Amino acid sequence: MDNENSGCVNCILKSNVICVLNTSELDILEDGCLRTNFKKGETIFKEGTPSESIVYIREGFVKLIKKGISGKDFILSISKKGAFIGIQNLNGKRRENYYSAVAVTDSSVCFISKIHFENLLKQNGTFAMEVISYIFNDEMNYFERLLNNVQQQLPGRLANALIYFSQKVYNEKKFNLNLTKTELGSLIGTSRESVTRLLKEFHESELIVLDKNVITISNEERLEKLMAKG
Amino acid sequence: MDNENSGCVNCILKSNVICVLNTSELDILEDGCLRTNFKKGETIFKEGTPSESIVYIREGFVKLIKKGISGKDFILSISKKGAFIGIQNLNGKRRENYYSAVAVTDSSVCFISKIHFENLLKQNGTFAMEVISYIFNDEMNYFERLLNNVQQQLPGRLANALIYFSQKVYNEKKFNLNLTKTELGSLIGTSRESVTRLLKEFHESELIVLDKNVITISNEERLEKLMAKG
DNA sequence: GTACACTTGTGATATTTATTACATTGTTGA
DNA sequence: TCAACAATGTAATAAATATCACAAGTGTAC
């Protein structure tokens, strides 16, 4: 763990986006920057409340949750170290958080004042370009997942979610899910019971190993085939 | 129809985004700008091909299509006059089109050179802010629709699509669908047959009037209730 | 005008998935 | 440590949707 008060200039965790800022710009950023810790389960910000900040994840995993039209929750993604969340709130026409962010593990984040961030965008076009690039990379990730959820049947969607966790989130074949079955259901748009049943089936056909909330992907190739087939 | 060769400076159709540019910047834009017409059914650009331009729709309706992991098409949106499409390709790490664009009516569009656009972004931070705002508004529209498609059952999804056409695309209660049933299916992730059956049901319960490819929403309120319920 | 390709409508059937209802297991705080 | 509550597993059943098969309509190029 690095120094809690070292500030943006010395922050070891500078993202690509932040790298293009010079020292004086980093000072501006630091001015509007506040580091805070969250325990597992705590809400970082809530959908619909006024948004004043963009949040940079320094440590831990955070789930982003959006309420659907029928009131059901949907988990947009599990974000991790190095991600900017709430960046969608830079939309000038929108003054409230577009989704909720909740820590799924103990986490440490920096709140960056939206105003400071916007000023940097206006004065440094290269920075703005980097931010735009970042946004689209982010967007693409959401898209791929959402698209899959629309087109595929349940087995394909679950396979997709597992591969997402393994390849995009935890970067391990063996990972702790950090989500309840109900939540996993809301990530792929289905019910808790169906998740249970399918995970069991995957286990029985030796695609994965299930041990409580820890999942090991034992046959990635077949899982990917399943994901593509639907 | 306004003058084909009037150029960006005199373009009556200046979007909010473009409005923040001054005359000399508009000249730069114009330098990298090329206006072209497309007939119904023609492809404007194709997913996976190199992307050199951002496309601004001046006239007509254009469908954006993305191939899913299983090869099935998904219609992301129907875009219209005033929209920037292919703007996602500003992502620095990506050099190919993220989706295909096909005219669903005769259309007229401007190709804007990506390089010129990027230069403007770098030199005018306010412009960049506007672009970022635009992107997020766009993204939000996709999201709401995709989210709905994941969470709702078929009737809700179809209701959602019809309301989308009426309120967001054509701004009329009566509109020509401009899409085949198969395509409408691929917009809400279902089969042609299910679309037919459901539209007939909607017609029978007097939510809509069906006349070939022209749909009239006759009971918007109930349709919206259906959309929320699922 | 005619043939061909594409689109549409419709019923029967097969699959998939949700729902319901309980039993069981974990977890947390008094 | 125990009570209370949340999370989980499981089976039976109901409901939704996909798939298949075929008939019929529509537009288009020659």
Coordinates of all heavy atoms in Angstrom, one line a residue, chain A residues 89-155:
Chain A
N89 N -20.8 10.8 -16.4 CA -21.5 12.1 -15.9 C -20.9 13.3 -16.4 O -21.3 14.4 -16.1 CB -21.4 12.0 -14.3 CG -22.1 10.9 -13.8 OD1 -23.2 10.4 -14.3 ND2 -21.6 10.3 -12.7
L90 N -19.8 13.2 -17.2 CA -19.3 14.4 -17.9 C -20.3 15.0 -18.9 O -20.2 16.1 -19.3 CB -18.0 14.1 -18.6 CG -16.8 13.9 -17.7 CD1 -15.6 13.5 -18.5 CD2 -16.5 15.2 -17.0
N91 N -21.2 14.2 -19.2 CA -22.3 14.6 -20.1 C -22.9 15.9 -19.5 O -23.5 15.9 -18.5 CB -23.4 13.5 -20.2 CG -24.5 13.9 -21.1 OD1 -24.8 15.1 -21.3 ND2 -25.2 12.9 -21.5
G92 N -22.8 17.0 -20.3 CA -23.2 18.3 -19.8 C -24.6 18.4 -19.5 O -25.0 19.2 -18.6
K93 N -25.5 17.6 -20.1 CA -26.9 17.8 -19.9 C -27.4 17.0 -18.8 O -28.6 17.0 -18.4 CB -27.6 17.2 -21.2 CG -27.4 18.2 -22.4 CD -28.1 17.6 -23.7 CE -27.6 18.3 -24.9 NZ -27.3 17.4 -26.0
R94 N -26.5 16.3 -18.1 CA -26.9 15.4 -17.1 C -26.2 15.7 -15.8 O -25.0 15.8 -15.7 CB -26.6 14.0 -17.5 CG -27.3 12.9 -16.8 CD -27.0 11.6 -17.3 NE -27.7 10.7 -16.4 CZ -29.0 10.3 -16.5 NH1 -29.7 10.7 -17.5 NH2 -29.5 9.5 -15.6
R95 N -27.0 15.8 -14.7 CA -26.3 16.2 -13.5 C -26.4 15.2 -12.4 O -26.0 15.4 -11.3 CB -26.9 17.6 -13.0 CG -26.6 18.8 -13.8 CD -25.2 19.3 -13.5 NE -24.6 20.0 -14.6 CZ -23.3 19.8 -15.1 NH1 -22.5 19.0 -14.5 NH2 -22.9 20.5 -16.1
E96 N -27.0 14.0 -12.8 CA -27.0 13.0 -11.7 C -26.4 11.7 -12.2 O -26.2 11.5 -13.4 CB -28.5 12.7 -11.3 CG -29.3 11.9 -12.3 CD -30.3 12.7 -13.1 OE1 -30.1 13.9 -13.4 OE2 -31.3 12.0 -13.4
N97 N -26.0 10.9 -11.2 CA -25.3 9.6 -11.5 C -26.2 8.7 -12.3 O -27.3 8.5 -12.0 CB -24.9 9.0 -10.2 CG -23.7 9.7 -9.5 OD1 -22.7 9.8 -10.1 ND2 -23.9 10.1 -8.3
Y98 N -25.5 8.1 -13.3 CA -26.2 7.3 -14.3 C -26.4 5.9 -13.7 O -27.3 5.1 -14.2 CB -25.4 7.3 -15.6 CG -26.1 6.6 -16.7 CD1 -27.3 7.0 -17.2 CD2 -25.5 5.5 -17.3 CE1 -28.0 6.3 -18.2 CE2 -26.1 4.9 -18.4 CZ -27.3 5.3 -18.8 OH -27.9 4.6 -19.9
Y99 N -25.6 5.5 -12.8 CA -25.7 4.2 -12.2 C -25.1 4.3 -10.8 O -24.6 5.3 -10.4 CB -24.9 3.1 -13.0 CG -23.5 3.5 -13.4 CD1 -22.5 3.7 -12.5 CD2 -23.2 3.8 -14.8 CE1 -21.2 4.1 -13.0 CE2 -22.0 4.2 -15.2 CZ -21.0 4.3 -14.3 OH -19.7 4.7 -14.7
S100 N -25.3 3.2 -10.0 CA -24.7 3.1 -8.7 C -23.4 2.4 -8.7 O -23.2 1.5 -9.6 CB -25.7 2.4 -7.7 OG -26.9 3.0 -7.6
A101 N -22.5 2.7 -7.8 CA -21.3 2.0 -7.6 C -21.2 1.4 -6.2 O -21.3 2.2 -5.3 CB -20.1 2.9 -8.0
V102 N -20.9 0.2 -6.1 CA -20.8 -0.5 -4.8 C -19.6 -1.3 -4.7 O -19.3 -2.1 -5.7 CB -22.1 -1.4 -4.5 CG1 -22.0 -2.1 -3.2 CG2 -23.4 -0.6 -4.6
A103 N -18.8 -1.2 -3.6 CA -17.6 -2.0 -3.5 C -17.9 -3.5 -3.3 O -18.8 -3.8 -2.5 CB -16.8 -1.5 -2.3
V104 N -17.3 -4.3 -4.1 CA -17.5 -5.8 -3.8 C -16.4 -6.4 -3.0 O -16.5 -7.5 -2.5 CB -17.8 -6.6 -5.1 CG1 -19.1 -6.2 -5.8 CG2 -16.6 -6.5 -6.1
T105 N -15.3 -5.7 -3.0 CA -14.2 -6.0 -2.0 C -13.8 -4.7 -1.3 O -14.2 -3.6 -1.8 CB -13.0 -6.5 -2.7 OG1 -12.4 -5.5 -3.6 CG2 -13.3 -7.8 -3.6
D106 N -13.1 -4.8 -0.3 CA -12.6 -3.5 0.3 C -11.8 -2.8 -0.8 O -11.1 -3.3 -1.5 CB -11.6 -3.8 1.5 CG -12.3 -4.4 2.7 OD1 -13.6 -4.5 2.6 OD2 -11.7 -4.8 3.7
S107 N -12.1 -1.5 -0.9 CA -11.6 -0.7 -2.0 C -11.1 0.7 -1.6 O -11.5 1.2 -0.5 CB -12.7 -0.5 -3.0 OG -13.2 -1.7 -3.5
S108 N -10.2 1.2 -2.4 CA -9.7 2.5 -2.2 C -9.9 3.3 -3.5 O -9.4 2.9 -4.5 CB -8.3 2.4 -1.7 OG -7.7 3.7 -1.7
V109 N -10.5 4.5 -3.4 CA -10.8 5.2 -4.6 C -10.4 6.7 -4.4 O -10.3 7.2 -3.3 CB -12.2 5.1 -5.0 CG1 -12.7 3.7 -5.1 CG2 -13.1 5.9 -4.1
C110 N -10.2 7.4 -5.6 CA -10.0 8.8 -5.5 C -11.2 9.5 -6.1 O -11.6 9.2 -7.2 CB -8.8 9.3 -6.3 SG -7.3 8.8 -5.5
F111 N -11.8 10.4 -5.4 CA -12.9 11.3 -6.0 C -12.2 12.5 -6.7 O -11.4 13.2 -6.0 CB -13.8 11.8 -4.9 CG -14.7 10.8 -4.4 CD1 -14.3 9.8 -3.5 CD2 -16.0 10.7 -4.8 CE1 -15.2 8.8 -3.0 CE2 -16.9 9.8 -4.4 CZ -16.5 8.8 -3.5
I112 N -12.5 12.6 -8.0 CA -11.9 13.8 -8.7 C -13.0 14.7 -9.0 O -14.0 14.3 -9.7 CB -11.3 13.3 -10.0 CG1 -10.2 12.2 -9.7 CG2 -10.6 14.4 -10.7 CD1 -9.7 11.5 -11.0
S113 N -12.9 15.9 -8.6 CA -13.9 16.9 -8.8 C -14.2 17.1 -10.3 O -13.3 17.2 -11.2 CB -13.5 18.3 -8.3 OG -13.9 19.3 -9.1
K114 N -15.5 17.0 -10.7 CA -15.9 17.1 -12.1 C -15.4 18.4 -12.7 O -15.0 18.4 -13.8 CB -17.4 17.0 -12.2 CG -17.8 15.9 -13.2 CD -19.3 15.6 -13.0 CE -20.3 16.6 -13.5 NZ -21.7 16.1 -13.6
I115 N -15.5 19.5 -11.9 CA -15.2 20.8 -12.4 C -13.7 20.9 -12.8 O -13.3 21.3 -13.9 CB -15.5 21.9 -11.4 CG1 -17.1 21.9 -11.2 CG2 -15.0 23.2 -11.8 CD1 -17.5 22.8 -10.1
H116 N -12.9 20.3 -11.9 CA -11.4 20.3 -12.2 C -11.1 19.5 -13.4 O -10.3 19.9 -14.3 CB -10.7 19.8 -11.0 CG -10.5 20.7 -9.8 ND1 -11.6 21.0 -9.0 CD2 -9.5 21.5 -9.4 CE1 -11.2 21.9 -8.1 NE2 -9.9 22.2 -8.3
F117 N -11.8 18.4 -13.5 CA -11.6 17.5 -14.6 C -12.0 18.2 -15.9 O -11.3 18.1 -16.9 CB -12.4 16.2 -14.4 CG -11.9 15.0 -15.2 CD1 -10.9 14.2 -14.6 CD2 -12.4 14.7 -16.4 CE1 -10.4 13.1 -15.3 CE2 -11.9 13.6 -17.1 CZ -10.9 12.8 -16.5
E118 N -13.1 18.8 -15.9 CA -13.6 19.5 -17.1 C -12.7 20.6 -17.5 O -12.5 20.8 -18.7 CB -15.1 20.0 -16.9 CG -16.1 18.9 -16.9 CD -17.5 19.4 -16.6 OE1 -17.7 20.6 -16.4 OE2 -18.4 18.5 -16.6
N119 N -12.2 21.3 -16.5 CA -11.2 22.4 -16.9 C -10.0 21.9 -17.6 O -9.5 22.4 -18.6 CB -10.8 23.2 -15.6 CG -12.0 24.1 -15.1 OD1 -12.8 24.4 -15.9 ND2 -11.9 24.5 -13.9
L120 N -9.5 20.7 -17.1 CA -8.4 20.1 -17.7 C -8.7 19.7 -19.1 O -7.9 19.9 -20.1 CB -7.9 18.9 -16.9 CG -7.2 19.2 -15.6 CD1 -6.8 17.9 -14.9 CD2 -5.9 20.0 -15.9
L121 N -9.9 19.2 -19.3 CA -10.3 18.8 -20.7 C -10.3 20.0 -21.6 O -9.8 19.9 -22.8 CB -11.7 18.2 -20.6 CG -11.9 16.8 -20.1 CD1 -13.4 16.4 -20.0 CD2 -11.2 15.8 -21.0
K122 N -10.8 21.1 -21.1 CA -10.9 22.3 -22.0 C -9.6 22.9 -22.3 O -9.3 23.4 -23.4 CB -11.8 23.3 -21.3 CG -13.3 23.0 -21.4 CD -14.2 24.1 -20.8 CE -15.6 23.6 -20.6 NZ -16.3 24.3 -19.6
Q123 N -8.6 22.8 -21.4 CA -7.3 23.4 -21.6 C -6.3 22.5 -22.3 O -5.3 23.0 -22.8 CB -6.8 24.0 -20.3 CG -6.1 23.1 -19.4 CD -5.5 23.8 -18.2 OE1 -6.2 24.5 -17.4 NE2 -4.2 23.7 -18.0
N124 N -6.6 21.2 -22.2 CA -5.6 20.3 -22.8 C -6.3 19.3 -23.8 O -6.9 18.3 -23.3 CB -4.9 19.5 -21.7 CG -3.8 18.6 -22.2 OD1 -3.8 18.2 -23.4 ND2 -2.8 18.3 -21.4
G125 N -6.3 19.6 -25.0 CA -7.0 18.8 -26.0 C -6.4 17.4 -26.1 O -7.2 16.5 -26.4
T126 N -5.1 17.2 -26.0 CA -4.6 15.9 -26.0 C -5.2 15.0 -24.9 O -5.5 13.8 -25.1 CB -3.0 15.9 -25.9 OG1 -2.6 16.8 -26.9 CG2 -2.4 14.6 -26.1
F127 N -5.3 15.7 -23.7 CA -5.9 15.0 -22.6 C -7.3 14.6 -23.0 O -7.7 13.4 -22.8 CB -5.9 15.9 -21.4 CG -6.6 15.4 -20.2 CD1 -6.2 14.2 -19.6 CD2 -7.7 16.0 -19.6 CE1 -6.8 13.7 -18.4 CE2 -8.3 15.5 -18.4 CZ -7.9 14.4 -17.9
A128 N -8.0 15.5 -23.6 CA -9.4 15.2 -24.0 C -9.5 14.0 -25.0 O -10.3 13.2 -24.8 CB -10.0 16.5 -24.7
M129 N -8.5 14.0 -25.9 CA -8.5 12.9 -26.8 C -8.3 11.6 -26.1 O -8.9 10.6 -26.4 CB -7.3 13.1 -27.8 CG -7.6 13.7 -29.1 SD -8.9 12.9 -30.1 CE -8.2 11.3 -30.4
E130 N -7.4 11.6 -25.1 CA -7.1 10.4 -24.3 C -8.4 9.9 -23.6 O -8.7 8.7 -23.5 CB -6.0 10.6 -23.3 CG -4.6 10.5 -23.9 CD -4.3 9.1 -24.4 OE1 -4.7 8.1 -23.9 OE2 -3.6 9.1 -25.5
V131 N -9.1 10.9 -23.1 CA -10.3 10.6 -22.3 C -11.3 10.0 -23.3 O -12.0 9.0 -23.0 CB -10.9 11.8 -21.6 CG1 -12.3 11.6 -21.1 CG2 -10.0 12.3 -20.5
I132 N -11.5 10.6 -24.5 CA -12.4 10.0 -25.5 C -12.0 8.6 -25.8 O -12.9 7.7 -25.9 CB -12.4 10.9 -26.7 CG1 -13.1 12.3 -26.4 CG2 -13.2 10.3 -27.9 CD1 -13.1 13.3 -27.5
S133 N -10.8 8.4 -26.0 CA -10.3 7.0 -26.3 C -10.7 6.1 -25.2 O -11.2 5.0 -25.4 CB -8.8 7.0 -26.5 OG -8.4 6.9 -27.8
Y134 N -10.5 6.5 -24.0 CA -10.8 5.7 -22.8 C -12.3 5.4 -22.8 O -12.6 4.2 -22.6 CB -10.4 6.4 -21.5 CG -10.8 5.7 -20.3 CD1 -9.9 4.7 -19.8 CD2 -12.0 5.8 -19.7 CE1 -10.3 3.9 -18.7 CE2 -12.4 5.1 -18.6 CZ -11.5 4.1 -18.1 OH -11.9 3.4 -17.0
I135 N -13.1 6.4 -23.0 CA -14.5 6.2 -23.0 C -15.0 5.1 -23.9 O -15.8 4.3 -23.6 CB -15.2 7.5 -23.3 CG1 -15.0 8.5 -22.2 CG2 -16.7 7.3 -23.5 CD1 -15.4 10.0 -22.6
F136 N -14.4 5.2 -25.1 CA -14.8 4.2 -26.2 C -14.4 2.8 -25.9 O -15.1 1.9 -26.2 CB -14.4 4.7 -27.5 CG -15.2 5.8 -28.1 CD1 -14.6 6.9 -28.6 CD2 -16.6 5.7 -28.0 CE1 -15.4 8.0 -29.0 CE2 -17.4 6.8 -28.5 CZ -16.8 7.9 -29.0
N137 N -13.2 2.7 -25.3 CA -12.8 1.4 -24.9 C -13.7 0.8 -23.9 O -14.1 -0.4 -24.0 CB -11.4 1.4 -24.3 CG -10.3 1.1 -25.3 OD1 -10.5 0.3 -26.2 ND2 -9.2 1.8 -25.2
D138 N -14.1 1.6 -22.9 CA -15.0 1.2 -21.9 C -16.3 0.8 -22.5 O -16.8 -0.2 -22.2 CB -15.2 2.5 -21.0 CG -15.6 2.2 -19.6 OD1 -15.0 1.2 -19.1 OD2 -16.4 2.9 -19.0
E139 N -16.8 1.7 -23.3 CA -18.1 1.5 -24.0 C -18.2 0.2 -24.7 O -19.1 -0.6 -24.7 CB -18.4 2.7 -24.9 CG -19.7 2.5 -25.7 CD -20.0 3.7 -26.5 OE1 -19.9 4.9 -26.0 OE2 -20.4 3.6 -27.7
M140 N -17.0 -0.1 -25.4 CA -17.0 -1.3 -26.2 C -17.1 -2.6 -25.3 O -17.8 -3.5 -25.7 CB -15.7 -1.4 -27.0 CG -15.9 -1.3 -28.4 SD -14.3 -1.0 -29.3 CE -14.6 0.7 -29.7
N141 N -16.5 -2.5 -24.2 CA -16.6 -3.6 -23.3 C -18.1 -3.9 -22.8 O -18.6 -5.0 -22.9 CB -15.8 -3.4 -22.0 CG -14.4 -3.7 -22.2 OD1 -14.1 -4.6 -23.1 ND2 -13.5 -3.1 -21.5
Y142 N -18.8 -2.8 -22.5 CA -20.2 -2.9 -22.1 C -21.0 -3.5 -23.2 O -21.8 -4.4 -23.1 CB -20.8 -1.5 -21.8 CG -20.3 -0.9 -20.5 CD1 -19.8 0.4 -20.6 CD2 -20.3 -1.5 -19.3 CE1 -19.4 1.1 -19.4 CE2 -19.9 -0.9 -18.2 CZ -19.4 0.4 -18.2 OH -19.0 1.0 -17.1
F143 N -20.7 -2.9 -24.4 CA -21.5 -3.3 -25.6 C -21.4 -4.8 -25.9 O -22.4 -5.5 -26.1 CB -20.9 -2.6 -26.8 CG -21.8 -1.4 -27.1 CD1 -22.5 -0.8 -26.2 CD2 -21.9 -1.0 -28.4 CE1 -23.3 0.3 -26.5 CE2 -22.7 0.1 -28.8 CZ -23.4 0.7 -27.8
E144 N -20.2 -5.3 -25.9 CA -20.0 -6.7 -26.3 C -20.8 -7.6 -25.3 O -21.5 -8.5 -25.7 CB -18.5 -7.1 -26.1 CG -17.5 -6.2 -26.9 CD -17.3 -6.5 -28.3 OE1 -17.2 -7.7 -28.6 OE2 -17.3 -5.6 -29.2
R145 N -20.7 -7.2 -24.0 CA -21.4 -8.0 -23.1 C -23.0 -7.9 -23.2 O -23.7 -8.9 -23.3 CB -21.0 -7.6 -21.6 CG -19.7 -8.1 -21.2 CD -19.6 -8.4 -19.7 NE -20.4 -7.4 -18.9 CZ -21.6 -7.7 -18.4 NH1 -22.2 -8.8 -18.6 NH2 -22.2 -6.7 -17.7
L146 N -23.4 -6.7 -23.4 CA -24.9 -6.5 -23.5 C -25.4 -7.1 -24.7 O -26.4 -7.8 -24.7 CB -25.2 -5.0 -23.5 CG -25.3 -4.3 -22.2 CD1 -25.4 -2.8 -22.3 CD2 -26.5 -4.8 -21.4
L147 N -24.6 -7.0 -25.8 CA -25.0 -7.6 -27.1 C -25.2 -9.1 -27.0 O -26.2 -9.7 -27.4 CB -24.0 -7.3 -28.1 CG -24.4 -7.4 -29.6 CD1 -25.5 -6.4 -29.9 CD2 -23.2 -7.2 -30.5
N148 N -24.2 -9.7 -26.3 CA -24.3 -11.1 -26.1 C -25.5 -11.5 -25.3 O -26.2 -12.5 -25.5 CB -23.1 -11.5 -25.3 CG -22.4 -12.7 -26.0 OD1 -22.8 -13.8 -25.8 ND2 -21.4 -12.4 -26.8
N149 N -25.8 -10.7 -24.3 CA -27.0 -11.0 -23.5 C -28.3 -10.9 -24.2 O -29.2 -11.6 -23.9 CB -27.0 -10.0 -22.3 CG -26.1 -10.4 -21.2 OD1 -25.9 -11.6 -21.0 ND2 -25.6 -9.5 -20.4
V150 N -28.3 -10.1 -25.3 CA -29.5 -10.0 -26.0 C -29.7 -11.2 -27.0 O -30.7 -11.7 -27.2 CB -29.6 -8.7 -26.8 CG1 -30.8 -8.6 -27.7 CG2 -29.5 -7.5 -25.9
Q151 N -28.6 -11.5 -27.6 CA -28.6 -12.5 -28.7 C -28.6 -14.0 -28.2 O -29.1 -14.8 -28.9 CB -27.5 -12.3 -29.7 CG -27.6 -11.0 -30.4 CD -26.7 -10.9 -31.6 OE1 -25.6 -11.5 -31.5 NE2 -27.1 -10.3 -32.7
Q152 N -27.9 -14.2 -27.1 CA -27.6 -15.6 -26.8 C -28.7 -16.2 -25.8 O -29.3 -15.4 -25.1 CB -26.3 -15.7 -26.2 CG -25.2 -15.1 -27.0 CD -24.9 -15.8 -28.3 OE1 -25.3 -15.4 -29.3 NE2 -24.2 -16.9 -28.2
Q153 N -28.7 -17.5 -25.8 CA -29.6 -18.2 -24.8 C -28.8 -18.2 -23.5 O -27.6 -17.9 -23.4 CB -29.8 -19.6 -25.2 CG -30.3 -19.7 -26.6 CD -31.7 -20.2 -26.7 OE1 -32.6 -19.3 -26.7 NE2 -31.9 -21.5 -26.8
L154 N -29.4 -18.7 -22.5 CA -28.8 -18.7 -21.1 C -27.4 -19.3 -21.1 O -26.5 -18.7 -20.5 CB -29.7 -19.3 -20.1 CG -30.5 -18.4 -19.2 CD1 -31.1 -19.2 -18.1 CD2 -29.6 -17.3 -18.7
P155 N -27.2 -20.5 -21.6 CA -25.9 -21.1 -21.4 C -24.8 -20.2 -22.0 O -23.8 -20.0 -21.4 CB -26.0 -22.4 -22.2 CG -27.5 -22.7 -22.2 CD -28.2 -21.4 -22.2

